[in-house]
Amino acid sequence: PPLAAMAAKRRTEEMRDRVVLGEFGVRNVHTTDFPGNYPGYEDAWDQRRFEEEFRVDVIREEEGALEFDMVGIDAAIANAFRRILLAEVPTMAVEKVFVYNNTSIVQDEILAHRLGLIPIRADPRLFEYRNQGDEEGTEIDTLQFQLKIKCSRNPQAAKESSDPNELYFNHKVYSKHMTWVPLGNQTDLFPDADFRPVHDDILIALLRPGQEIDVLMHCVKGVGKDHAKFSPVATASYRLLPDITLLQPVEDEAAEMLQKCFSPGVIEIQNIKGKKVARVANARLDTFSREVFRHEGLKNLVRLARVRNHYIFSVESTGILPPDVLVSEAIKILMGKCQRFLNELDSVPVE
Amino acid sequence: VQADGTDGNCITFVLHDEDHTLGNSLRYMVMKNPDVEFCGYCITHPSESKINFRIQTRGSLPAVEPFRKGLNDLMGVCQHVLNTFEVRLLPEALRG
């Protein structure tokens, strides 16, 4: 009977391209569209079909954050991009701190740890990785910074003032006090470069008169896998596009209650022939708190699902590289990994 | 890369310095190949960064072929994603 066939087809379609959020669990999580699983579907890899269906939409681009959609790709590859953005896109960060004088309250190792976490505005593509075991550092793999600051008492301060800003000079050590010390021929290599921390107002330490900090720092290129200070993103995450369908028409009070169950803007109430009818206006705004399932009368009227191959990426950069450059670099790194294994396959004979 | 297996149809690759990032995406591309009977990967121990990647083909196809094809397909996907992404961003740059 054609009706049952249509229902069965709808069920397979749902299984193939929706991840359904049930009351007590999530169904259809894994990708199942591999060749041979579904009779009648052509699932083998087809680059042309992929290129036809794939698209990227940039939703919002601010100076440090980028939100874009990737449609037509699988979870494995989207996740690979996310993992590479977090852990394998290289940046420069302070690695070695040579402490010449530190009479402040902040211990040497704590100071070194804090200095390492400061993001440095230096394009990592201009530098190389440092060789293993190389202690000195050459000009192609190291950036040198100096932090030399001494706190002193202000002789012109009023007698009874207790405001440290008035009483002392240089009592707050900010990241703007870090100065770049060019190594070797770096002034020729980077004539108009300005290497400094991304933010000038990061508080590193507090001093009182007589205390001073005199350190020399070496920045090297590294990846987030090694230490989180090398991660170029504040965070990179993705979510799947929500898909809310009303299984039955919802009216009047039920419609009002339904609207309150979802994030604002998702459900809108229309006035049709005097009755209030609910309609899904913009499912994308929903954060899926699953409040519907707490109401007995409402939980069978809605189907909460996510579209399996539509990813909403949100990349927020620390300021070292703009987020679109970061995404491009991440994709290139994945290509580099594949190329590495292809080269090995060709060079080493398989026994 | 190290490879050992019984006959030409099944092979287990040991990929060093790799984890789920390449493992899962490569597994997906190889599974999309209709000649592959079985494909899976596992991380031998979380402290060691290497994965065991196993491919079994049906029929007489040597197992290295789906591996090579999977890598090439993944490179094709990345190239297309990169091109689409950069084209998408271009108007932003042109707009200044």
Side-chain angles (χ1 to χ4, degrees):
Chain A
L3 223 62
M6 251 179 56
K9 188 167 165 70
R10 241 198 334 267
R11 269 201 300 278
T12 32
E13 293 286 336
E14 182 185 276
M15 199 155 53
R16 277 172 66 96
D17 54 28
R18 293 284 187 275
V19 177
V20 182
L21 278 73
E23 185 177 350
F24 295 114
V26 186
R27 296 196 309 259
N28 301 341
V29 175
H30 300 283
T31 350
T32 43
D33 55 347
F34 296 120
N37 278 349
Y38 296 96
Y41 282 93
E42 194 44 57
D43 282 331
W45 178 253
D46 188 356
Q47 177 80 7
R48 200 182 38 84
R49 204 172 54 220
F50 165 70
E51 291 188 6
E52 278 169 26
E53 293 172 354
F54 180 72
R55 67 169 208 270
V56 171
D57 300 316
V58 175
I59 305 295
R60 200 181 50 213
E61 187 174 0
E62 294 160 354
E63 48 174 86
L66 176 66
E67 187 180 331
F68 66 97
D69 280 12
M70 261 209 241
V71 188
I73 206 173
D74 184 65
I77 306 178
N79 196 29
F81 290 144
R82 184 194 63 91
R83 285 175 69 100
I84 295 180
L85 273 169
L86 282 171
E88 299 193 39
V89 178
T91 53
M92 304 284 291
V94 173
E95 174 93 1
K96 278 213 157 52
V97 174
F98 299 96
V99 182
Y100 291 109
N101 191 358
N102 175 21
T103 42
S104 74
I105 277 281
V106 179
Q107 295 92 337
D108 288 348
E109 59 268 20
I110 307 290
L111 183 65
H113 182 239
R114 287 177 71 85
L115 290 169
L117 291 173
I118 298 174
I120 308 279
R121 185 196 302 279
D123 192 338
R125 295 170 289 185
L126 299 170
F127 294 92
E128 308 269 326
Y129 287 101
R130 194 184 266 200
N131 292 324
Q132 288 248 356
D134 182 8
E135 290 298 325
E136 282 300 316
T138 61
E139 51 247 355
I140 198 59
D141 60 34
T142 313
L143 268 183
Q144 220 178 35
F145 283 88
Q146 190 184 47
L147 178 64
K148 199 176 160 86
I149 193 165
K150 191 176 162 77
C151 177
S152 51
R153 200 178 287 279
N154 180 6
Q156 269 99 30
K159 272 278 179 351
E160 286 83 28
S161 110
S162 58
D163 174 16
N165 290 327
E166 247 192 60
L167 285 173
Y168 315 121
F169 287 136
N170 289 341
H171 69 285
K172 283 191 181 163
V173 181
Y174 287 106
S175 51
K176 67 172 185 265
H177 296 131
M178 282 169 62
T179 50
W180 176 45
V181 177
L183 264 182
N185 64 346
Q186 276 180 348
T187 28
D188 304 318
L189 280 177
F190 313 111
D192 39 278
D194 173 29
F195 294 125
R196 56 189 168 78
V198 176
H199 305 279
D200 280 335
D201 51 357
I202 300 178
L203 184 63
I204 303 176
L206 288 176
L207 300 174
R208 284 294 180 265
Q211 294 178 343
E212 75 173 284
I213 295 182
D214 181 7
V215 299
L216 191 67
M217 295 167 266
H218 278 189
C219 281
V220 290
K221 184 168 165 175
V223 287
K225 249 206 275 203
D226 180 23
H227 192 289
K229 71 189 176 196
F230 292 116
S231 182
V233 288
T235 193
S237 63
Y238 65 76
R239 62 188 177 107
L240 271 68
L241 181 75
D243 174 42
I244 303 173
T245 24
L246 296 177
L247 300 170
Q248 293 165 31
V250 183
E251 298 167 355
D252 293 329
E253 283 151 18
E256 295 272 329
M257 244 182 8
L258 195 70
Q259 193 180 41
K260 288 202 184 56
C261 287
F262 290 100
S263 310
V266 176
I267 303 266
E268 75 173 0
I269 308 238
Q270 288 175 326
N271 222 319
I272 298 185
K273 295 189 211 150
K275 270 198 304 190
K276 289 193 264 189
V277 178
R279 192 182 73 88
V280 178
N282 189 357
R284 194 196 165 96
L285 298 168
D286 196 28
T287 45
F288 274 162
S289 59
R290 286 161 161 223
E291 177 73 17
V292 229
F293 293 124
R294 295 182 59 216
H295 301 274
E296 276 303 320
L298 293 181
K299 68 180 174 190
N300 295 321
L301 302 177
V302 214
R303 186 193 73 163
L304 293 180
R306 290 195 187 268
V307 182
R308 191 194 285 287
N309 61 357
H310 185 135
Y311 292 89
I312 304 173
F313 273 83
S314 161
V315 179
E316 204 181 295
S317 157
T318 46
I320 304 179
L321 288 170
D324 44 327
V325 172
L326 284 176
V327 179
S328 307
E329 286 297 309
I331 305 176
K332 288 181 198 154
I333 289 179
L334 188 57
M335 285 204 287
K337 283 188 198 251
C338 297
Q339 192 62 48
R340 203 179 104 212
F341 286 113
L342 277 171
N343 294 343
E344 275 208 51
L345 260 188
D346 291 330
S347 61
V348 174
V350 178
E351 300 118 28
Chain B
V1 176
Q2 255 179 278
D4 43 49
T6 43
D7 52 9
N9 289 352
C10 11
I11 241 182
T12 302
F13 295 94
V14 179
L15 308 179
H16 293 275
D17 285 335
E18 288 302 332
D19 55 0
H20 301 287
T21 309
L22 188 67
N24 199 16
S25 34
L26 192 56
R27 177 199 63 93
Y28 173 77
M29 299 311 292
V30 174
M31 281 288 283
K32 280 289 204 181
N33 190 341
D35 295 322
V36 165
E37 186 187 0
F38 172 86
C39 171
Y41 79 99
C42 71
I43 305 224
T44 43
H45 191 280
S47 309
E48 295 177 335
S49 93
K50 67 179 184 182
I51 61 176
N52 280 357
F53 196 90
R54 183 163 177 87
I55 302 183
Q56 273 172 223
T57 57
R58 59 172 109 254
S60 54
L61 190 66
V64 196
E65 284 318 305
F67 187 62
R68 197 188 296 266
K69 181 169 187 301
L71 282 169
N72 281 322
D73 287 342
L74 191 55
M75 292 237 350
V77 170
C78 290
Q79 188 65 53
H80 180 72
V81 172
L82 188 61
N83 294 343
T84 321
F85 185 70
E86 290 189 334
V87 162
R88 267 305 161 183
L89 283 175
L90 214 43
E92 259 65 56
L94 282 177
R95 241 186 279 141

